[in-house]
Short mmCIF file of all heavy atoms in Angstrom, two decimals:
data_model
loop_
_atom_site.label_atom_id
_atom_site.label_comp_id
_atom_site.label_asym_id
_atom_site.label_seq_id
_atom_site.Cartn_x
_atom_site.Cartn_y
_atom_site.Cartn_z
N ALA M 159 115.53 166.81 -41.44
CA ALA M 159 114.04 167.03 -41.39
C ALA M 159 113.24 165.78 -41.86
O ALA M 159 112.25 165.37 -41.31
CB ALA M 159 113.66 168.24 -42.26
N CYS M 160 113.76 165.14 -42.93
CA CYS M 160 113.13 163.87 -43.43
C CYS M 160 113.21 162.79 -42.39
O CYS M 160 112.20 162.11 -42.11
CB CYS M 160 113.88 163.43 -44.65
SG CYS M 160 113.70 164.56 -46.07
N ALA M 161 114.37 162.58 -41.74
CA ALA M 161 114.49 161.53 -40.77
C ALA M 161 113.51 161.86 -39.61
O ALA M 161 112.86 161.01 -39.06
CB ALA M 161 115.91 161.48 -40.31
N LYS M 162 113.55 163.12 -39.18
CA LYS M 162 112.80 163.49 -37.96
C LYS M 162 111.26 163.37 -38.27
O LYS M 162 110.51 163.04 -37.34
CB LYS M 162 113.12 164.89 -37.47
CG LYS M 162 114.49 164.91 -36.75
CD LYS M 162 115.09 166.26 -36.52
CE LYS M 162 114.49 167.06 -35.44
NZ LYS M 162 115.18 168.30 -35.23
N ALA M 163 110.86 163.73 -39.52
CA ALA M 163 109.44 163.57 -39.85
C ALA M 163 109.01 162.16 -39.59
O ALA M 163 107.91 161.95 -39.05
CB ALA M 163 109.22 164.07 -41.34
N ALA M 164 109.76 161.16 -40.10
CA ALA M 164 109.37 159.85 -39.95
C ALA M 164 109.30 159.40 -38.48
O ALA M 164 108.41 158.77 -38.10
CB ALA M 164 110.34 158.90 -40.74
N TYR M 165 110.37 159.73 -37.76
CA TYR M 165 110.48 159.28 -36.38
C TYR M 165 109.37 159.95 -35.62
O TYR M 165 108.72 159.29 -34.76
CB TYR M 165 111.76 159.72 -35.78
CG TYR M 165 111.99 159.43 -34.27
CD1 TYR M 165 111.94 158.08 -33.91
CD2 TYR M 165 112.10 160.40 -33.37
CE1 TYR M 165 112.03 157.81 -32.51
CE2 TYR M 165 112.23 160.12 -32.05
CZ TYR M 165 112.19 158.81 -31.61
OH TYR M 165 112.30 158.53 -30.29
N ALA M 166 109.02 161.20 -35.80
CA ALA M 166 107.99 161.94 -35.02
C ALA M 166 106.67 161.29 -35.27
O ALA M 166 105.80 161.25 -34.44
CB ALA M 166 107.95 163.43 -35.41
N ASP M 167 106.45 160.76 -36.48
CA ASP M 167 105.11 160.20 -36.72
C ASP M 167 105.10 158.67 -36.45
O ASP M 167 104.09 157.98 -36.81
CB ASP M 167 104.67 160.46 -38.15
CG ASP M 167 103.91 161.79 -38.22
OD1 ASP M 167 102.85 161.83 -37.57
OD2 ASP M 167 104.29 162.79 -38.75
N GLY M 168 106.07 158.17 -35.77
CA GLY M 168 105.90 156.80 -35.26
C GLY M 168 106.80 155.69 -35.97
O GLY M 168 106.45 154.53 -35.72
N ALA M 169 107.73 156.16 -36.88
CA ALA M 169 108.52 155.07 -37.54
C ALA M 169 109.42 154.42 -36.45
O ALA M 169 110.04 155.22 -35.62
CB ALA M 169 109.32 155.69 -38.65
N ARG M 170 109.49 153.06 -36.45
CA ARG M 170 110.26 152.43 -35.41
C ARG M 170 111.75 152.69 -35.68
O ARG M 170 112.59 152.88 -34.85
CB ARG M 170 109.98 150.89 -35.48
CG ARG M 170 110.96 150.03 -34.65
CD ARG M 170 110.93 150.28 -33.15
NE ARG M 170 111.89 149.49 -32.44
CZ ARG M 170 113.17 149.81 -32.24
NH1 ARG M 170 113.60 151.01 -32.74
NH2 ARG M 170 113.93 149.03 -31.54
N TRP M 171 112.07 152.78 -37.00
CA TRP M 171 113.49 152.87 -37.47
C TRP M 171 113.60 153.97 -38.52
O TRP M 171 112.79 153.99 -39.40
CB TRP M 171 114.06 151.61 -38.03
CG TRP M 171 114.16 150.45 -37.00
CD1 TRP M 171 113.35 149.41 -36.87
CD2 TRP M 171 115.22 150.31 -36.04
NE1 TRP M 171 113.82 148.64 -35.85
CE2 TRP M 171 115.00 149.03 -35.38
CE3 TRP M 171 116.31 151.03 -35.69
CZ2 TRP M 171 115.84 148.66 -34.30
CZ3 TRP M 171 117.19 150.59 -34.66
CH2 TRP M 171 116.87 149.42 -33.93
N VAL M 172 114.62 154.77 -38.46
CA VAL M 172 115.01 155.65 -39.50
C VAL M 172 116.36 155.13 -39.96
O VAL M 172 117.32 154.99 -39.21
CB VAL M 172 115.14 157.13 -39.01
CG1 VAL M 172 115.58 157.99 -40.24
CG2 VAL M 172 113.77 157.59 -38.52
N VAL M 173 116.41 154.66 -41.26
CA VAL M 173 117.61 153.98 -41.80
C VAL M 173 118.36 154.94 -42.69
O VAL M 173 117.80 155.53 -43.58
CB VAL M 173 117.22 152.72 -42.47
CG1 VAL M 173 118.51 152.00 -42.98
CG2 VAL M 173 116.41 151.79 -41.56
N LEU M 174 119.63 155.23 -42.36
CA LEU M 174 120.43 156.10 -43.07
C LEU M 174 121.16 155.33 -44.21
O LEU M 174 121.90 154.40 -43.93
CB LEU M 174 121.44 156.84 -42.19
CG LEU M 174 120.83 157.34 -40.90
CD1 LEU M 174 121.89 158.09 -40.07
CD2 LEU M 174 119.69 158.32 -41.20
N CYS M 175 120.84 155.62 -45.48
CA CYS M 175 121.37 154.82 -46.52
C CYS M 175 122.47 155.56 -47.29
O CYS M 175 122.40 156.78 -47.66
CB CYS M 175 120.19 154.54 -47.58
SG CYS M 175 118.87 153.71 -46.94
N ASP M 176 123.55 154.81 -47.44
CA ASP M 176 124.66 155.33 -48.22
C ASP M 176 124.44 154.66 -49.63
O ASP M 176 125.10 153.71 -50.06
CB ASP M 176 125.99 154.90 -47.68
CG ASP M 176 127.12 155.57 -48.51
OD1 ASP M 176 126.95 156.56 -49.15
OD2 ASP M 176 128.29 155.01 -48.53
N THR M 177 123.54 155.22 -50.36
CA THR M 177 122.98 154.65 -51.58
C THR M 177 123.99 154.53 -52.66
O THR M 177 124.02 153.53 -53.40
CB THR M 177 121.76 155.44 -52.11
OG1 THR M 177 120.80 155.67 -51.02
CG2 THR M 177 120.95 154.74 -53.18
N ASN M 178 124.85 155.58 -52.84
CA ASN M 178 125.92 155.51 -53.84
C ASN M 178 127.16 154.65 -53.35
O ASN M 178 127.92 154.35 -54.12
CB ASN M 178 126.41 156.85 -54.25
CG ASN M 178 125.37 157.63 -55.09
OD1 ASN M 178 124.56 157.05 -55.65
ND2 ASN M 178 125.54 158.94 -55.03
N GLY M 179 127.21 154.43 -52.07
CA GLY M 179 128.33 153.60 -51.52
C GLY M 179 129.57 154.35 -51.44
O GLY M 179 130.63 153.68 -51.38
N GLY M 180 129.60 155.73 -51.59
CA GLY M 180 130.92 156.35 -51.69
C GLY M 180 131.33 157.03 -50.35
O GLY M 180 132.41 157.64 -50.39
N THR M 181 130.51 156.96 -49.33
CA THR M 181 130.86 157.63 -48.09
C THR M 181 131.95 156.84 -47.34
O THR M 181 131.92 155.55 -47.42
CB THR M 181 129.61 157.78 -47.17
OG1 THR M 181 128.55 158.38 -48.07
CG2 THR M 181 129.84 158.63 -46.02
N LEU M 182 132.84 157.53 -46.69
CA LEU M 182 133.95 156.89 -46.02
C LEU M 182 133.64 156.68 -44.49
O LEU M 182 132.82 157.45 -43.92
CB LEU M 182 135.26 157.74 -46.20
CG LEU M 182 135.64 157.95 -47.63
CD1 LEU M 182 136.85 158.85 -47.76
CD2 LEU M 182 135.85 156.61 -48.38
N PRO M 183 134.31 155.67 -43.82
CA PRO M 183 133.92 155.41 -42.42
C PRO M 183 133.89 156.59 -41.52
O PRO M 183 133.04 156.75 -40.70
CB PRO M 183 134.91 154.30 -42.10
CG PRO M 183 135.29 153.62 -43.37
CD PRO M 183 135.23 154.76 -44.38
N HIS M 184 135.03 157.46 -41.62
CA HIS M 184 134.97 158.60 -40.74
C HIS M 184 133.86 159.55 -40.88
O HIS M 184 133.36 160.13 -39.91
CB HIS M 184 136.41 159.27 -40.66
CG HIS M 184 136.69 159.93 -42.07
ND1 HIS M 184 137.21 159.33 -43.19
CD2 HIS M 184 136.51 161.26 -42.43
CE1 HIS M 184 137.23 160.13 -44.11
NE2 HIS M 184 136.88 161.37 -43.70
N GLU M 185 133.44 159.66 -42.16
CA GLU M 185 132.30 160.51 -42.43
C GLU M 185 131.00 159.97 -41.89
O GLU M 185 130.22 160.62 -41.30
CB GLU M 185 132.10 160.78 -43.93
CG GLU M 185 133.31 161.30 -44.67
CD GLU M 185 133.17 161.38 -46.23
OE1 GLU M 185 133.06 160.33 -46.81
OE2 GLU M 185 133.26 162.47 -46.74
N VAL M 186 130.89 158.64 -42.04
CA VAL M 186 129.69 157.91 -41.54
C VAL M 186 129.62 158.13 -40.05
O VAL M 186 128.59 158.49 -39.46
CB VAL M 186 129.68 156.45 -41.94
CG1 VAL M 186 128.63 155.68 -41.09
CG2 VAL M 186 129.55 156.20 -43.35
N GLU M 187 130.76 157.90 -39.37
CA GLU M 187 130.75 157.99 -37.90
C GLU M 187 130.37 159.40 -37.43
O GLU M 187 129.56 159.61 -36.49
CB GLU M 187 132.19 157.62 -37.35
CG GLU M 187 132.22 157.38 -35.85
CD GLU M 187 133.23 156.58 -35.31
OE1 GLU M 187 133.94 155.89 -36.09
OE2 GLU M 187 133.41 156.45 -34.13
N LYS M 188 130.86 160.43 -38.19
CA LYS M 188 130.58 161.86 -37.71
C LYS M 188 129.10 162.14 -37.96
O LYS M 188 128.44 162.73 -37.04
CB LYS M 188 131.48 162.69 -38.61
CG LYS M 188 131.29 164.16 -38.37
CD LYS M 188 132.33 165.03 -39.05
CE LYS M 188 132.11 166.56 -39.04
NZ LYS M 188 130.98 166.85 -39.93
#
Side-chain angles (χ1 to χ4, degrees):
C160 295
K162 284 163 83 173
Y165 177 63
D167 269 299
R170 168 68 183 86
W171 294 102
V172 177
V173 182
L174 312 181
C175 300
D176 186 25
T177 310
N178 287 341
T181 311
L182 302 176
H184 65 278
E185 299 173 304
V186 170
E187 191 157 351
K188 177 172 172 284

